[in-house]
Amino acid sequence: MAQTVRSAAVTATPATQSDVELRRVVKAFGTEVAVRDLDLTVHQGEFFSILGPSGCGKTTTLRLIAGFETPTAGDVLIQGANVSTVPAHRRPVNTVFQSYALFDHMTVKDNIAFGLKIRRMGSLQVRDRVAEALRLVRMETMAARYPAQLSGGQQQRVALARALVNHPAVMLLDEPLGALDQKLRKQMQVELANLHRQLGITFIMVTHDQEEALSLSDRIAVMNNGQIEQIGTPSDIYDRPRTAFVADFIGDTNLLPGRIDQAYPSQVQVTTDSGLRVLACTASSGGAQTVVVSVRPEKINLSLSAPAAANNCYQGHISHLMYLGTHLHCVVRLGSGETLMVRQPNRAESLGVDTAVYVHWAADDCLVLDPA
């Protein structure tokens, strides 16, 4: 049934290869603008994540796609059809919420069947659809239980099954793993990835968890202040951020403000505000002279003796040290007054607070970005 709906939609709109499009969408609540001139295309069958801090507009964007909000301006298209004014229950999408929103007085089976019964589907078809959904999320043996008798991970699976039983063209996931503990989150990330591969339908997930987005997504949109800062693959977003905000929000990074004082064909020399001279790759500085150098903690090498040759090499001492099992997280204070986060493998090297060290990194391992 799901494949039939998707094929029909593609036949009707042969020019499009997208399941969801937002065209210059604006959403305002009174004088407060939550989403501004948003352009977004989500391709058929991809796992797409919208990532950003609280209040950036990501949940409002998902609600606009779901039909729980109507755009103030612009168009929302699903499978080529403009659904900007179409109510939520008539859109080929289903949403899984962080709270799961299960009915406590209904069994697992009845929770999953609820939407089908509302649509007055025949009892035999409801039975088959529910059985299929239970198999997908591996909950066949718990069909007669009530939500209060389930763990958080099991409730999350029921919420997924209730959405999948309607055979939606697009699955919308609103912080779907936010209520789970860290270990269970990891397990459910694998479950979600397997479900997506098995079903082949479009998943759109909203999250503030960078690791979750990086591990699950085909592409990620990073939002800030109601706008998209960057869209790209996980490696694009992490290794080639276009703005200081994206570099800082995705994972850990060291940001060193300064000015470009020498430009070479593929590199620039930046003098930081504290006087460090840093050789870096050019990136998205937009031709600005005032820039920010971004270098990830894992790209920085740390040694007790001066390296034989290194472009970016500075002396300092360890001001803070955290043991994290597989690696060490160090804060190094340089003679210039700068502090740098450094992530090192857990080796037998003797390191401690106040240890004198050298930090160094290759020019190719840091980027020059526009501070805006």
Side-chain angles (χ1 to χ4, degrees):
M1 177 67 71
Q3 292 302 315
T4 302
V5 171
R6 289 168 62 79
S7 298
V10 173
T11 302
T13 56
T16 182
Q17 294 298 315
S18 63
D19 264 346
V20 175
E21 284 186 78
L22 276 66
R23 298 178 180 172
R24 299 192 65 80
V25 168
V26 176
K27 180 59 183 177
F29 298 95
T31 59
E32 185 72 24
V33 180
V35 173
R36 326 166 171 264
D37 290 327
L38 196 65
D39 287 309
L40 177 64
T41 299
V42 180
H43 305 308
Q44 290 177 358
E46 76 174 332
F47 198 124
F48 190 92
S49 290
I50 304 173
L51 178 65
S54 297
C56 71
K58 59 186 186 293
T59 296
T60 300
T61 301
L62 197 76
R63 290 176 64 83
L64 287 163
I65 297 169
F68 302 136
E69 302 288 352
T70 302
T72 305
D75 297 313
V76 177
L77 287 81
I78 298 178
Q79 294 188 322
N82 192 329
V83 297
S84 302
T85 58
V86 175
H89 68 276
R90 292 182 55 199
R91 298 188 186 194
V93 303
N94 273 97
T95 306
V96 176
F97 301 97
Q98 180 178 348
S99 62
Y100 311 138
L102 301 178
F103 298 114
D104 291 335
H105 64 288
M106 291 185 181
T107 63
V108 166
K109 180 177 67 175
D110 289 337
N111 262 286
I112 296 171
F114 181 78
L116 301 179
K117 291 178 179 178
I118 290 294
R119 291 162 56 187
R120 301 186 182 278
M121 189 173 286
S123 59
L124 291 179
Q125 195 173 5
V126 169
R127 183 196 65 188
D128 292 344
R129 287 274 198 102
V130 170
E132 174 195 22
L134 284 166
R135 281 195 299 273
L136 278 172
V137 297
R138 295 184 291 113
M139 291 286 289
E140 303 100 309
T141 61
M142 299 190 181
R145 293 194 184 183
Y146 289 87
Q149 298 172 306
L150 304 176
S151 69
Q154 290 166 342
Q155 289 184 40
Q156 204 257 10
R157 285 182 182 148
V158 176
L160 283 168
R162 188 174 61 182
L164 291 169
V165 78
N166 294 304
H167 290 177
V170 181
M171 276 278 287
L172 305 178
L173 307 165
D174 187 5
E175 301 276 6
L177 310 182
L180 305 179
D181 62 53
Q182 185 64 21
K183 185 175 181 180
L184 195 50
R185 283 176 79 108
K186 298 284 189 186
Q187 294 172 359
M188 292 310 300
Q189 285 174 15
V190 175
E191 298 277 353
L192 274 179
N194 288 339
L195 264 179
H196 178 252
R197 279 195 298 270
Q198 186 176 350
L199 296 169
I201 65 175
T202 302
F203 278 32
I204 303 177
M205 179 176 72
V206 157
T207 181
H208 66 274
D209 188 307
Q210 300 98 324
E211 183 181 326
E212 195 166 277
L214 290 169
S215 64
L216 289 172
S217 310
D218 296 312
R219 288 191 304 146
I220 300 170
V222 181
M223 287 192 72
N224 183 31
N225 291 328
Q227 297 177 307
I228 292 176
E229 293 256 341
Q230 185 174 349
I231 297 178
T233 65
S235 60
D236 283 338
I237 296 290
Y238 188 82
D239 293 323
R240 292 173 291 279
R242 293 179 187 164
T243 67
F245 173 84
V246 173
D248 192 36
F249 187 76
I250 305 295
D252 295 323
T253 196
N254 297 284
L255 297 176
L256 307 174
R259 291 183 61 82
I260 295 175
D261 53 27
Q262 291 286 337
Y264 307 103
S266 60
Q267 296 176 337
V268 294
Q269 181 175 286
V270 176
T271 300
T272 70
D273 292 350
S274 65
L276 294 181
R277 290 187 175 180
V278 181
L279 194 64
C281 282
T282 55
S284 299
S285 63
Q289 289 300 303
T290 301
V291 295
V292 172
V293 175
S294 170
V295 56
R296 299 284 187 188
E298 68 273 15
K299 300 293 187 182
I300 301 177
N301 301 299
L302 187 150
S303 58
L304 297 174
S305 57
N311 287 318
N312 301 312
C313 181
Y314 315 99
Q315 275 187 291
H317 67 275
I318 296 175
S319 61
H320 189 70
L321 183 67
M322 285 192 293
Y323 177 81
L324 298 175
T326 58
H327 63 276
L328 301 174
H329 179 87
C330 308
V331 177
V332 177
R333 181 172 291 278
L334 305 182
S336 62
E338 299 269 11
T339 58
L340 296 175
M341 295 181 291
V342 182
R343 188 171 298 132
Q344 290 288 293
N346 186 8
R347 299 189 296 254
E349 199 168 28
S350 177
L351 297 174
V353 174
D354 292 331
T355 301
V357 293
Y358 290 86
V359 294
H360 55 96
W361 63 85
D364 288 347
D365 287 334
C366 57
L367 298 172
V368 173
L369 304 172
D370 188 331

